[in-house]
Amino acid sequence: MSQGKGKHLAIYLPSFYNGGIERAMINLSHMLIEYDIQVDFVLNTLGFPVVASQCPSQARIVDLKVSNFPSRFTRLLKYLQQEQPDTLLTAYHFTNEIALLVKRFAKTSTRVVVSEHNTISVETQDEPLLSSRHWIPSWIKLVYPWADGIVSCSMGVAEDLVKITGLPSERIKTIYNPVISATIHQKAQEKVNHTWLAPGELPVILGVGRLELQKDFANLIKAFAQVRESIPARLLILGLGSQHSQLKALVEKLELDQQVAFGGFVDNPYAYMARASVFVLSSAWEGLGNVLIEAMAVGTPVVSTDCPSGPAEILAQGKYGELVPVGDSNALAQAIVKVLSGQKKSVDSSWLQQFTLESAALKYMKILGF
């Protein structure tokens, strides 16, 4: 594996939060290190140590320990001047924008490649005028032309970026997130300490993700209430977030306390996925939808909203799983009942190859200049 040998990559993130972007970047780092590439994770703040522990042992973690914009700018600039990595790969806002500003004004020789993991026009459309996130599309239009490379995690995200920036589509490279690895299959076989997932128990509908408005777990809970009218089942939701109390209140209002459980953060969601009867993505919007790919990889049938963007691409427009309109709990319930009744769609293993670590790493290496 001589390709990339001796190169130095820095991956700049806000922190190690338990999200799909972090998992994708950590997965990518494992593969790049096999190609003899030195990897630094550069973080504004460390975040969750349990997520940091998933990094390869050979990777270096650089905690800038900063919070405000000026200190992020100056600390990142100092890091680049001292370490001089060949390429800086960024994800999230405003780490993307800060990295490009550093590149523009410091004239660093480090190449900067930004990656976009969400459908920004949808994500920011309801942000209030005074919110910093409201101005993300304007920032993108201003600074993304300065990037040495732009990666989108789905074709839908790429199309959205073209509309926002006015850049030619050739400037944006779509690379599906590195999701599927041998580790997923190994972890899927591990034991799960949850009585609902024991043999002989009722079917379990599983949702995994941050408890935020984007994931629209309220829609899933409402759909589950309808599912219960025709099929005895349980709903298990894994994840943390600001909507936890509101979602619990909805469960209580619908009198589903004994049938719905919130499992919080778990180290190994793959073992839960492998034992669930159906996996459901209820999001209002996505960049790609890594959890759908993970569930498919361990052989669990999936149901998803046809949200912008990603699920339709992952499921080949519904060939490999059920797609329903966003926010339609009736349609979501019907699709779940369909799967629980035995109408499952099988997935061609060759289709999943495009979501593997190996496939993503080779494409990333090309745009990173390795």
Side-chain angles (χ1 to χ4, degrees):
M1 293 185 178
S2 59
Q3 186 180 7
K5 186 175 179 63
K7 295 291 187 177
H8 182 188
L9 172 69
I11 300 175
Y12 180 37
L13 301 171
S15 68
F16 278 136
Y17 187 67
N18 183 40
I21 297 175
E22 289 83 358
R23 291 199 302 275
M25 292 296 106
I26 290 172
N27 285 347
L28 178 63
S29 72
H30 279 278
M31 200 68 211
L32 294 180
I33 283 173
E34 290 192 20
Y35 283 93
D36 295 321
I37 296 170
Q38 178 186 341
V39 176
D40 288 354
F41 280 98
V42 182
L43 312 165
N44 291 330
T45 57
L46 181 60
F48 292 177
V50 68
V51 177
S53 69
Q54 298 168 11
C55 292
S57 58
Q58 303 95 322
R60 186 171 65 139
I61 296 176
V62 180
D63 184 0
L64 299 179
K65 299 180 180 179
V66 294
S67 54
N68 59 47
F69 175 85
S71 59
R72 292 175 188 177
F73 183 96
T74 56
R75 293 282 180 87
L76 180 64
L77 173 60
K78 183 177 180 180
Y79 165 82
L80 292 179
Q81 290 174 336
Q82 289 181 343
E83 302 297 332
Q84 299 185 28
D86 297 288
T87 306
L88 179 70
L89 172 63
T90 69
Y92 275 114
H93 302 279
F94 291 93
T95 49
N96 288 0
E97 289 82 354
I98 290 170
L100 290 171
L101 286 169
V102 168
K103 172 184 173 61
R104 181 74 169 183
F105 293 105
K107 303 186 185 302
T108 174
S109 62
T110 298
R111 299 179 74 251
V112 176
V113 176
V114 298
S115 61
E116 192 60 67
H117 296 265
N118 237 322
T119 313
I120 294 300
S121 63
V122 179
E123 183 182 21
T124 60
Q125 63 184 356
D126 295 324
E127 291 286 346
L129 186 64
L130 295 180
S131 166
S132 61
R133 297 193 64 79
H134 172 85
W135 298 99
I136 288 176
S138 299
W139 273 107
I140 287 175
K141 186 174 183 179
L142 174 65
V143 303
Y144 273 29
W146 304 342
D148 295 292
I150 305 171
V151 176
S152 68
C153 68
S154 69
M155 290 182 283
V157 167
E159 291 168 4
D160 190 57
L161 278 177
V162 168
K163 291 177 183 177
I164 291 172
T165 63
L167 291 170
S169 58
E170 300 79 41
R171 284 287 317 270
I172 301 165
K173 173 69 173 177
T174 295
I175 305 176
Y176 289 134
N177 289 336
V179 175
I180 302 175
S181 67
T183 303
I184 283 184
H185 300 292
Q186 293 166 4
K187 290 188 173 182
Q189 303 304 315
E190 294 180 4
K191 292 182 180 180
V192 174
N193 185 26
H194 200 294
T195 55
W196 285 8
L197 295 169
E201 291 291 327
L202 293 176
V204 170
I205 301 159
L206 181 66
V208 178
R210 293 176 292 111
L211 306 186
E212 304 294 346
L213 289 174
Q214 175 187 356
K215 305 302 180 180
D216 201 4
F217 283 118
N219 181 32
L220 176 54
I221 292 167
K222 292 173 185 175
F224 173 70
Q226 296 183 48
V227 171
R228 285 275 305 170
E229 294 175 3
S230 57
I231 296 181
R234 289 165 171 155
L235 172 62
L236 177 59
I237 298 175
L238 304 179
L240 301 170
S242 65
Q243 294 293 302
H244 184 258
S245 59
Q246 292 94 324
L247 294 173
K248 285 198 71 174
L250 177 60
V251 168
E252 292 170 5
K253 179 181 177 181
L254 296 175
E255 299 181 350
L256 296 170
D257 310 59
Q258 302 304 309
Q259 294 84 36
V260 178
F262 294 91
F265 169 78
V266 297
D267 254 345
N268 178 12
Y270 314 118
Y272 288 77
M273 290 176 178
R275 289 161 178 80
S277 298
V278 57
F279 180 87
V280 181
L281 181 81
S282 53
S283 297
W285 73 88
E286 285 286 347
L288 182 62
N290 293 352
V291 286
L292 273 182
I293 300 167
E294 292 166 348
M296 293 164 69
V298 301
T300 302
V302 298
V303 172
S304 177
T305 52
D306 189 10
C307 66
S309 54
E313 294 178 43
I314 294 169
L315 300 180
Q317 310 302 318
K319 181 179 179 180
Y320 296 123
E322 302 296 328
L323 282 171
V324 302
V326 172
D328 190 336
S329 56
N330 294 329
L332 189 59
Q334 291 171 16
I336 293 170
V337 168
K338 184 177 178 181
V339 173
L340 293 179
S341 299
Q343 300 181 56
K344 304 173 184 178
K345 297 181 178 181
S346 59
V347 182
D348 187 340
S349 59
S350 63
W351 175 256
L352 296 176
Q353 288 300 311
Q354 62 190 318
F355 307 114
T356 62
L357 270 63
E358 293 83 356
S359 176
L362 291 173
K363 293 174 182 177
Y364 261 103
M365 286 171 68
K366 186 173 181 180
I367 198 167
L368 293 172
F370 300 162

